[in-house]
Amino acid sequence: FLSKKRFYANSKNYIDFVNDTLNAETFANDKFIDIKSTDAKIEIADVATNGVYADIVRVASRNVITGKYVDTEFKFAECALFKKTDNKKQPTAAAFVGKFFDAKNNLKFEGNIVINISRSEPVDVPNAIDNRAKLYTDGSVTVYGDEGADFRAIIGEQFFGNLKKIEPIDHLLNLSISIWEGHTFAFMSYDDDVIALPFDKAINADAFKSFTTDLKKVFEAINLLGK
């Protein structure tokens, strides 16, 4: 019992150290301000109406951060979303594993727009868009929304142009951006080289750098939303 208790305490201290060290590098760009680590968790209610993943029954999260990119407030976390299935032997399955953030926006419009950038062999496939109209598709990029919606006028050409330049290569497996009035959800799916904490293996520096480069590109685009 004492060994288990001591191991838990040491593990928590180590995880805190790893998170603090990596967060310092993740948000090193001076456009990130007011960065604060929290003990909060991402709850089902936080992602229940995200527009990308439906039927979420459980959320596992760690390293929840609040802050701003320029003047865009956001909440960031590493998390996994689990959806219900029809398989009685395996009633839940992972829908998403990666980096998630919820950023505030000043848009005024009705409905929801989802932009998905996927590989030829999709990973973490969105399951909340089956009944949505495809408003645009070109290569890896697909835009979903209400039939007839002028999504370009809503999200802006500068934003869309920058977002389309992001490619799901290297360690980024899929990118989904869900835009509502007031909130922008981003789901960045990654492989284990980015997601796994360095316990038995050293951190993959190239994979981490790949992630921070992706994150910078996504936030640069988000900052142009509506323009």
Side-chain angles (χ1 to χ4, degrees), residues 36-75:
K36 296 178 182 177
S37 297
T38 78
D39 293 325
K41 296 292 184 183
I42 302 298
E43 306 291 345
I44 291 178
D46 297 324
V47 294
T49 56
N50 64 81
V52 179
Y53 298 105
D55 302 321
I56 302 302
V57 293
R58 183 165 70 90
V59 179
S61 65
R62 70 184 185 214
N63 193 31
V64 179
I65 302 292
T66 60
K68 291 182 180 179
Y69 181 84
V70 188
D71 57 355
T72 300
E73 294 182 36
F74 67 87
K75 178 190 289 185

mmCIF file of all heavy atoms in Angstrom, residues 36-75:
data_model
loop_
_atom_site.group_PDB
_atom_site.id
_atom_site.type_symbol
_atom_site.label_atom_id
_atom_site.label_comp_id
_atom_site.label_asym_id
_atom_site.label_seq_id
_atom_site.Cartn_x
_atom_site.Cartn_y
_atom_site.Cartn_z
ATOM 1 N N LYS A 36 -2.157 29.386 -18.589
ATOM 2 C CA LYS A 36 -2.287 28.880 -17.223
ATOM 3 C C LYS A 36 -2.653 27.399 -17.238
ATOM 4 O O LYS A 36 -3.579 26.988 -17.935
ATOM 5 C CB LYS A 36 -3.363 29.657 -16.461
ATOM 6 C CG LYS A 36 -3.039 31.134 -16.270
ATOM 7 C CD LYS A 36 -4.170 31.860 -15.553
ATOM 8 C CE LYS A 36 -3.856 33.351 -15.408
ATOM 9 N NZ LYS A 36 -4.974 34.094 -14.774
ATOM 10 N N SER A 37 -1.914 26.609 -16.463
ATOM 11 C CA SER A 37 -2.254 25.200 -16.279
ATOM 12 C C SER A 37 -3.352 25.087 -15.236
ATOM 13 O O SER A 37 -3.375 25.859 -14.267
ATOM 14 C CB SER A 37 -1.027 24.405 -15.818
ATOM 15 O OG SER A 37 -0.018 24.421 -16.789
ATOM 16 N N THR A 38 -4.263 24.158 -15.428
ATOM 17 C CA THR A 38 -5.364 23.986 -14.490
ATOM 18 C C THR A 38 -5.482 22.522 -14.086
ATOM 19 O O THR A 38 -4.882 21.643 -14.700
ATOM 20 C CB THR A 38 -6.701 24.434 -15.102
ATOM 21 O OG1 THR A 38 -7.175 23.408 -16.004
ATOM 22 C CG2 THR A 38 -6.570 25.751 -15.862
ATOM 23 N N ASP A 39 -6.262 22.278 -13.058
ATOM 24 C CA ASP A 39 -6.568 20.910 -12.637
ATOM 25 C C ASP A 39 -7.912 20.449 -13.186
ATOM 26 O O ASP A 39 -8.430 19.417 -12.782
ATOM 27 C CB ASP A 39 -6.588 20.812 -11.099
ATOM 28 C CG ASP A 39 -5.204 21.029 -10.495
ATOM 29 O OD1 ASP A 39 -4.223 20.602 -11.116
ATOM 30 O OD2 ASP A 39 -5.116 21.639 -9.411
ATOM 31 N N ALA A 40 -8.467 21.234 -14.103
ATOM 32 C CA ALA A 40 -9.787 20.924 -14.658
ATOM 33 C C ALA A 40 -9.722 19.708 -15.585
ATOM 34 O O ALA A 40 -8.645 19.274 -16.010
ATOM 35 C CB ALA A 40 -10.334 22.126 -15.419
ATOM 36 N N LYS A 41 -10.880 19.160 -15.877
ATOM 37 C CA LYS A 41 -11.022 18.070 -16.824
ATOM 38 C C LYS A 41 -11.997 18.502 -17.920
ATOM 39 O O LYS A 41 -12.863 19.353 -17.696
ATOM 40 C CB LYS A 41 -11.556 16.810 -16.135
ATOM 41 C CG LYS A 41 -10.634 16.238 -15.083
ATOM 42 C CD LYS A 41 -9.361 15.668 -15.691
ATOM 43 C CE LYS A 41 -8.484 15.012 -14.640
ATOM 44 N NZ LYS A 41 -7.202 14.518 -15.210
ATOM 45 N N ILE A 42 -11.860 17.921 -19.088
ATOM 46 C CA ILE A 42 -12.844 18.129 -20.145
ATOM 47 C C ILE A 42 -13.991 17.166 -19.873
ATOM 48 O O ILE A 42 -13.777 15.951 -19.783
ATOM 49 C CB ILE A 42 -12.249 17.869 -21.541
ATOM 50 C CG1 ILE A 42 -11.033 18.783 -21.779
ATOM 51 C CG2 ILE A 42 -13.307 18.086 -22.616
ATOM 52 C CD1 ILE A 42 -11.333 20.252 -21.748
ATOM 53 N N GLU A 43 -15.183 17.701 -19.720
ATOM 54 C CA GLU A 43 -16.359 16.879 -19.418
ATOM 55 C C GLU A 43 -17.164 16.625 -20.695
ATOM 56 O O GLU A 43 -16.998 17.312 -21.710
ATOM 57 C CB GLU A 43 -17.234 17.591 -18.382
ATOM 58 C CG GLU A 43 -16.508 17.992 -17.099
ATOM 59 C CD GLU A 43 -16.100 16.797 -16.254
ATOM 60 O OE1 GLU A 43 -16.608 15.685 -16.507
ATOM 61 O OE2 GLU A 43 -15.290 16.975 -15.327
ATOM 62 N N ILE A 44 -18.050 15.651 -20.613
ATOM 63 C CA ILE A 44 -18.915 15.341 -21.764
ATOM 64 C C ILE A 44 -19.688 16.579 -22.202
ATOM 65 O O ILE A 44 -19.835 16.847 -23.399
ATOM 66 C CB ILE A 44 -19.881 14.190 -21.421
ATOM 67 C CG1 ILE A 44 -19.107 12.881 -21.260
ATOM 68 C CG2 ILE A 44 -20.935 14.031 -22.525
ATOM 69 C CD1 ILE A 44 -19.969 11.699 -20.863
ATOM 70 N N ALA A 45 -20.170 17.353 -21.225
ATOM 71 C CA ALA A 45 -20.943 18.559 -21.541
ATOM 72 C C ALA A 45 -20.133 19.561 -22.365
ATOM 73 O O ALA A 45 -20.695 20.332 -23.150
ATOM 74 C CB ALA A 45 -21.437 19.214 -20.258
ATOM 75 N N ASP A 46 -18.816 19.564 -22.191
ATOM 76 C CA ASP A 46 -17.956 20.502 -22.921
ATOM 77 C C ASP A 46 -17.880 20.175 -24.412
ATOM 78 O O ASP A 46 -17.565 21.050 -25.224
ATOM 79 C CB ASP A 46 -16.540 20.491 -22.336
ATOM 80 C CG ASP A 46 -16.497 20.963 -20.888
ATOM 81 O OD1 ASP A 46 -17.266 21.863 -20.547
ATOM 82 O OD2 ASP A 46 -15.690 20.415 -20.116
ATOM 83 N N VAL A 47 -18.118 18.914 -24.758
ATOM 84 C CA VAL A 47 -17.971 18.487 -26.158
ATOM 85 C C VAL A 47 -19.237 17.831 -26.718
ATOM 86 O O VAL A 47 -19.226 17.331 -27.840
ATOM 87 C CB VAL A 47 -16.784 17.505 -26.304
ATOM 88 C CG1 VAL A 47 -15.472 18.211 -26.016
ATOM 89 C CG2 VAL A 47 -16.953 16.293 -25.400
ATOM 90 N N ALA A 48 -20.314 17.846 -25.951
ATOM 91 C CA ALA A 48 -21.536 17.128 -26.350
ATOM 92 C C ALA A 48 -22.092 17.632 -27.675
ATOM 93 O O ALA A 48 -22.629 16.850 -28.473
ATOM 94 C CB ALA A 48 -22.595 17.246 -25.256
ATOM 95 N N THR A 49 -21.985 18.917 -27.938
ATOM 96 C CA THR A 49 -22.530 19.491 -29.169
ATOM 97 C C THR A 49 -21.408 20.082 -30.025
ATOM 98 O O THR A 49 -21.533 21.169 -30.570
ATOM 99 C CB THR A 49 -23.572 20.584 -28.863
ATOM 100 O OG1 THR A 49 -22.969 21.590 -28.028
ATOM 101 C CG2 THR A 49 -24.768 19.995 -28.132
ATOM 102 N N ASN A 50 -20.315 19.339 -30.141
ATOM 103 C CA ASN A 50 -19.149 19.881 -30.843
ATOM 104 C C ASN A 50 -19.327 19.943 -32.356
ATOM 105 O O ASN A 50 -18.633 20.678 -33.036
ATOM 106 C CB ASN A 50 -17.893 19.088 -30.488
ATOM 107 C CG ASN A 50 -17.965 17.641 -30.941
ATOM 108 O OD1 ASN A 50 -17.717 17.334 -32.102
ATOM 109 N ND2 ASN A 50 -18.310 16.739 -30.027
ATOM 110 N N GLY A 51 -20.244 19.118 -32.906
ATOM 111 C CA GLY A 51 -20.495 19.150 -34.339
ATOM 112 C C GLY A 51 -19.661 18.189 -35.156
ATOM 113 O O GLY A 51 -19.937 17.969 -36.339
ATOM 114 N N VAL A 52 -18.621 17.579 -34.535
ATOM 115 C CA VAL A 52 -17.745 16.645 -35.256
ATOM 116 C C VAL A 52 -17.992 15.212 -34.812
ATOM 117 O O VAL A 52 -18.171 14.313 -35.632
ATOM 118 C CB VAL A 52 -16.258 17.005 -35.041
ATOM 119 C CG1 VAL A 52 -15.355 16.012 -35.774
ATOM 120 C CG2 VAL A 52 -15.973 18.414 -35.513
ATOM 121 N N TYR A 53 -18.018 15.005 -33.498
ATOM 122 C CA TYR A 53 -18.197 13.663 -32.941
ATOM 123 C C TYR A 53 -19.483 13.595 -32.112
ATOM 124 O O TYR A 53 -19.717 14.433 -31.243
ATOM 125 C CB TYR A 53 -16.993 13.279 -32.073
ATOM 126 C CG TYR A 53 -15.701 13.234 -32.862
ATOM 127 C CD1 TYR A 53 -14.757 14.257 -32.745
ATOM 128 C CD2 TYR A 53 -15.444 12.191 -33.738
ATOM 129 C CE1 TYR A 53 -13.587 14.232 -33.486
ATOM 130 C CE2 TYR A 53 -14.267 12.157 -34.485
ATOM 131 C CZ TYR A 53 -13.348 13.177 -34.353
ATOM 132 O OH TYR A 53 -12.196 13.149 -35.099
ATOM 133 N N ALA A 54 -20.303 12.576 -32.414
ATOM 134 C CA ALA A 54 -21.588 12.397 -31.736
ATOM 135 C C ALA A 54 -21.558 11.152 -30.861
ATOM 136 O O ALA A 54 -20.647 10.330 -30.940
ATOM 137 C CB ALA A 54 -22.712 12.286 -32.769
ATOM 138 N N ASP A 55 -22.600 11.033 -30.022
ATOM 139 C CA ASP A 55 -22.770 9.861 -29.150
ATOM 140 C C ASP A 55 -21.590 9.665 -28.209
ATOM 141 O O ASP A 55 -21.185 8.537 -27.913
ATOM 142 C CB ASP A 55 -22.975 8.588 -29.977
ATOM 143 C CG ASP A 55 -24.188 8.681 -30.897
ATOM 144 O OD1 ASP A 55 -25.197 9.250 -30.456
ATOM 145 O OD2 ASP A 55 -24.113 8.192 -32.034
ATOM 146 N N ILE A 56 -21.031 10.752 -27.701
ATOM 147 C CA ILE A 56 -19.902 10.680 -26.773
ATOM 148 C C ILE A 56 -20.406 10.273 -25.390
ATOM 149 O O ILE A 56 -21.312 10.893 -24.834
ATOM 150 C CB ILE A 56 -19.175 12.035 -26.677
ATOM 151 C CG1 ILE A 56 -18.680 12.470 -28.058
ATOM 152 C CG2 ILE A 56 -18.016 11.964 -25.688
ATOM 153 C CD1 ILE A 56 -17.761 11.493 -28.728
ATOM 154 N N VAL A 57 -19.817 9.208 -24.845
ATOM 155 C CA VAL A 57 -20.241 8.699 -23.547
ATOM 156 C C VAL A 57 -19.151 8.826 -22.484
ATOM 157 O O VAL A 57 -19.417 8.678 -21.292
ATOM 158 C CB VAL A 57 -20.685 7.224 -23.650
ATOM 159 C CG1 VAL A 57 -21.947 7.108 -24.488
ATOM 160 C CG2 VAL A 57 -19.575 6.346 -24.229
ATOM 161 N N ARG A 58 -17.922 9.098 -22.914
ATOM 162 C CA ARG A 58 -16.841 9.264 -21.933
ATOM 163 C C ARG A 58 -15.743 10.121 -22.524
ATOM 164 O O ARG A 58 -15.481 10.068 -23.730
ATOM 165 C CB ARG A 58 -16.274 7.900 -21.521
ATOM 166 C CG ARG A 58 -15.194 7.963 -20.442
ATOM 167 C CD ARG A 58 -14.944 6.590 -19.836
ATOM 168 N NE ARG A 58 -14.279 5.682 -20.754
ATOM 169 C CZ ARG A 58 -12.949 5.573 -20.852
ATOM 170 N NH1 ARG A 58 -12.165 6.345 -20.130
ATOM 171 N NH2 ARG A 58 -12.425 4.687 -21.696
ATOM 172 N N VAL A 59 -15.123 10.917 -21.669
ATOM 173 C CA VAL A 59 -14.000 11.755 -22.083
ATOM 174 C C VAL A 59 -12.850 11.550 -21.103
ATOM 175 O O VAL A 59 -13.044 11.613 -19.885
ATOM 176 C CB VAL A 59 -14.377 13.253 -22.104
ATOM 177 C CG1 VAL A 59 -13.174 14.098 -22.507
ATOM 178 C CG2 VAL A 59 -15.537 13.506 -23.052
ATOM 179 N N ALA A 60 -11.675 11.281 -21.619
ATOM 180 C CA ALA A 60 -10.465 11.225 -20.802
ATOM 181 C C ALA A 60 -9.599 12.414 -21.206
ATOM 182 O O ALA A 60 -9.384 12.650 -22.396
ATOM 183 C CB ALA A 60 -9.713 9.918 -21.042
ATOM 184 N N SER A 61 -9.139 13.181 -20.225
ATOM 185 C CA SER A 61 -8.370 14.380 -20.565
ATOM 186 C C SER A 61 -7.237 14.598 -19.572
ATOM 187 O O SER A 61 -7.257 14.090 -18.456
ATOM 188 C CB SER A 61 -9.278 15.613 -20.589
ATOM 189 O OG SER A 61 -9.804 15.888 -19.304
ATOM 190 N N ARG A 62 -6.249 15.345 -20.023
ATOM 191 C CA ARG A 62 -5.134 15.734 -19.152
ATOM 192 C C ARG A 62 -4.574 17.056 -19.671
ATOM 193 O O ARG A 62 -4.855 17.467 -20.791
ATOM 194 C CB ARG A 62 -4.040 14.653 -19.148
ATOM 195 C CG ARG A 62 -3.278 14.539 -20.463
ATOM 196 C CD ARG A 62 -2.275 13.419 -20.472
ATOM 197 N NE ARG A 62 -1.499 13.441 -21.721
ATOM 198 C CZ ARG A 62 -1.050 12.370 -22.334
ATOM 199 N NH1 ARG A 62 -1.299 11.163 -21.847
ATOM 200 N NH2 ARG A 62 -0.337 12.481 -23.448
ATOM 201 N N ASN A 63 -3.824 17.711 -18.818
ATOM 202 C CA ASN A 63 -3.093 18.910 -19.222
ATOM 203 C C ASN A 63 -4.019 19.978 -19.812
ATOM 204 O O ASN A 63 -3.820 20.445 -20.932
ATOM 205 C CB ASN A 63 -2.013 18.541 -20.237
ATOM 206 C CG ASN A 63 -1.015 19.658 -20.460
ATOM 207 O OD1 ASN A 63 -0.727 20.438 -19.554
ATOM 208 N ND2 ASN A 63 -0.470 19.753 -21.658
ATOM 209 N N VAL A 64 -5.027 20.370 -19.053
ATOM 210 C CA VAL A 64 -5.968 21.401 -19.512
ATOM 211 C C VAL A 64 -5.361 22.780 -19.277
ATOM 212 O O VAL A 64 -4.966 23.119 -18.154
ATOM 213 C CB VAL A 64 -7.318 21.268 -18.785
ATOM 214 C CG1 VAL A 64 -8.277 22.369 -19.245
ATOM 215 C CG2 VAL A 64 -7.923 19.891 -19.035
ATOM 216 N N ILE A 65 -5.293 23.549 -20.342
ATOM 217 C CA ILE A 65 -4.643 24.863 -20.340
ATOM 218 C C ILE A 65 -5.653 25.931 -20.755
ATOM 219 O O ILE A 65 -6.490 25.689 -21.628
ATOM 220 C CB ILE A 65 -3.472 24.892 -21.355
ATOM 221 C CG1 ILE A 65 -2.443 23.809 -21.047
ATOM 222 C CG2 ILE A 65 -2.813 26.262 -21.397
ATOM 223 C CD1 ILE A 65 -1.669 24.006 -19.793
ATOM 224 N N THR A 66 -5.577 27.101 -20.145
ATOM 225 C CA THR A 66 -6.347 28.249 -20.623
ATOM 226 C C THR A 66 -5.369 29.338 -21.046
ATOM 227 O O THR A 66 -4.242 29.407 -20.541
ATOM 228 C CB THR A 66 -7.294 28.813 -19.545
ATOM 229 O OG1 THR A 66 -6.521 29.241 -18.406
ATOM 230 C CG2 THR A 66 -8.291 27.756 -19.096
ATOM 231 N N GLY A 67 -5.798 30.172 -21.980
ATOM 232 C CA GLY A 67 -4.925 31.244 -22.421
ATOM 233 C C GLY A 67 -5.517 32.018 -23.571
ATOM 234 O O GLY A 67 -6.711 31.896 -23.885
ATOM 235 N N LYS A 68 -4.680 32.789 -24.219
ATOM 236 C CA LYS A 68 -5.085 33.572 -25.378
ATOM 237 C C LYS A 68 -4.027 33.442 -26.463
ATOM 238 O O LYS A 68 -2.837 33.310 -26.178
ATOM 239 C CB LYS A 68 -5.234 35.058 -25.039
ATOM 240 C CG LYS A 68 -6.387 35.413 -24.131
ATOM 241 C CD LYS A 68 -6.430 36.922 -23.917
ATOM 242 C CE LYS A 68 -7.568 37.347 -23.002
ATOM 243 N NZ LYS A 68 -7.580 38.815 -22.799
ATOM 244 N N TYR A 69 -4.488 33.467 -27.717
ATOM 245 C CA TYR A 69 -3.597 33.635 -28.854
ATOM 246 C C TYR A 69 -3.942 34.993 -29.426
ATOM 247 O O TYR A 69 -5.036 35.189 -29.973
ATOM 248 C CB TYR A 69 -3.789 32.543 -29.899
ATOM 249 C CG TYR A 69 -2.852 32.688 -31.088
ATOM 250 C CD1 TYR A 69 -1.559 32.191 -31.026
ATOM 251 C CD2 TYR A 69 -3.271 33.332 -32.250
ATOM 252 C CE1 TYR A 69 -0.701 32.327 -32.108
ATOM 253 C CE2 TYR A 69 -2.409 33.479 -33.329
ATOM 254 C CZ TYR A 69 -1.123 32.977 -33.248
ATOM 255 O OH TYR A 69 -0.264 33.130 -34.323
ATOM 256 N N VAL A 70 -3.053 35.952 -29.278
ATOM 257 C CA VAL A 70 -3.328 37.365 -29.539
ATOM 258 C C VAL A 70 -4.514 37.753 -28.645
ATOM 259 O O VAL A 70 -4.354 37.848 -27.439
ATOM 260 C CB VAL A 70 -3.596 37.639 -31.032
ATOM 261 C CG1 VAL A 70 -3.688 39.140 -31.299
ATOM 262 C CG2 VAL A 70 -2.462 37.052 -31.896
ATOM 263 N N ASP A 71 -5.717 37.937 -29.211
ATOM 264 C CA ASP A 71 -6.866 38.273 -28.358
ATOM 265 C C ASP A 71 -7.944 37.186 -28.407
ATOM 266 O O ASP A 71 -9.078 37.413 -28.000
ATOM 267 C CB ASP A 71 -7.457 39.627 -28.751
ATOM 268 C CG ASP A 71 -7.884 39.690 -30.208
ATOM 269 O OD1 ASP A 71 -7.631 38.698 -30.940
ATOM 270 O OD2 ASP A 71 -8.456 40.718 -30.628
ATOM 271 N N THR A 72 -7.587 36.001 -28.905
ATOM 272 C CA THR A 72 -8.536 34.890 -28.977
ATOM 273 C C THR A 72 -8.396 34.000 -27.750
ATOM 274 O O THR A 72 -7.356 33.350 -27.559
ATOM 275 C CB THR A 72 -8.301 34.043 -30.243
ATOM 276 O OG1 THR A 72 -8.470 34.874 -31.405
ATOM 277 C CG2 THR A 72 -9.279 32.892 -30.307
ATOM 278 N N GLU A 73 -9.412 33.971 -26.901
ATOM 279 C CA GLU A 73 -9.382 33.134 -25.705
ATOM 280 C C GLU A 73 -9.609 31.672 -26.082
ATOM 281 O O GLU A 73 -10.406 31.367 -26.970
ATOM 282 C CB GLU A 73 -10.477 33.573 -24.721
ATOM 283 C CG GLU A 73 -10.282 34.958 -24.145
ATOM 284 C CD GLU A 73 -11.371 35.300 -23.148
ATOM 285 O OE1 GLU A 73 -11.825 34.396 -22.414
ATOM 286 O OE2 GLU A 73 -11.780 36.472 -23.122
ATOM 287 N N PHE A 74 -8.909 30.770 -25.382
ATOM 288 C CA PHE A 74 -9.082 29.354 -25.689
ATOM 289 C C PHE A 74 -8.850 28.482 -24.457
ATOM 290 O O PHE A 74 -8.210 28.886 -23.489
ATOM 291 C CB PHE A 74 -8.131 28.927 -26.815
ATOM 292 C CG PHE A 74 -6.665 28.957 -26.441
ATOM 293 C CD1 PHE A 74 -6.053 27.858 -25.838
ATOM 294 C CD2 PHE A 74 -5.894 30.084 -26.702
ATOM 295 C CE1 PHE A 74 -4.706 27.892 -25.498
ATOM 296 C CE2 PHE A 74 -4.542 30.123 -26.362
ATOM 297 C CZ PHE A 74 -3.952 29.028 -25.762
ATOM 298 N N LYS A 75 -9.374 27.260 -24.551
ATOM 299 C CA LYS A 75 -9.094 26.193 -23.596
ATOM 300 C C LYS A 75 -8.515 25.033 -24.394
ATOM 301 O O LYS A 75 -9.099 24.609 -25.387
ATOM 302 C CB LYS A 75 -10.355 25.741 -22.868
ATOM 303 C CG LYS A 75 -10.114 24.586 -21.881
ATOM 304 C CD LYS A 75 -11.424 24.011 -21.373
ATOM 305 C CE LYS A 75 -12.120 24.971 -20.430
ATOM 306 N NZ LYS A 75 -13.341 24.358 -19.841
#
